[in-house]
Amino acid sequence: LLDARAIACLGEFDVIFCRNVLIYFDDAHVQSTIDALAQALRPGGVLFIGVSESLLRFRTQLICEEHSGVFAYRRSP
């Protein structure tokens, strides 16, 4: 997850689950990982992270959405 080129080589995704991982990273690594994962999402794609994680304090191109108590981050179409 810390290698943006390795993530890019995996292709594009409609959905990415990255649950309970970012809590172990410092802010700089969270930011770079989220940037790489956001680039790996297709437009309109969704990133799911753990309930104890939040991206609200980070700059990101992802839009936070709430659905029945579950938070997801969508790449704008």
Side-chain angles (χ1 to χ4, degrees):
L1 289 174
L2 299 177
D3 186 343
R5 277 188 257 151
I7 292 172
C9 288
L10 296 173
E12 291 186 318
F13 299 90
D14 294 315
V15 177
I16 297 174
F17 291 91
C18 184
R19 297 178 48 83
N20 303 318
V21 174
L22 301 176
I23 56 175
Y24 298 104
F25 293 174
D26 62 29
D27 284 355
H29 286 111
V30 170
Q31 184 70 62
S32 62
T33 299
I34 293 306
D35 290 344
L37 293 176
Q39 289 301 312
L41 284 170
R42 288 188 174 105
V46 180
L47 171 67
F48 289 95
I49 59 175
V51 296
S52 63
E53 300 167 312
S54 172
L55 302 183
L56 296 178
R57 71 179 196 270
F58 296 97
R59 63 163 179 75
T60 178
Q61 61 182 333
L62 302 174
I63 301 162
C64 183
E65 300 177 345
E66 186 265 333
H67 303 279
S68 301
V70 175
F71 291 92
Y73 296 87
R74 182 176 304 279
R75 183 174 173 183
S76 56

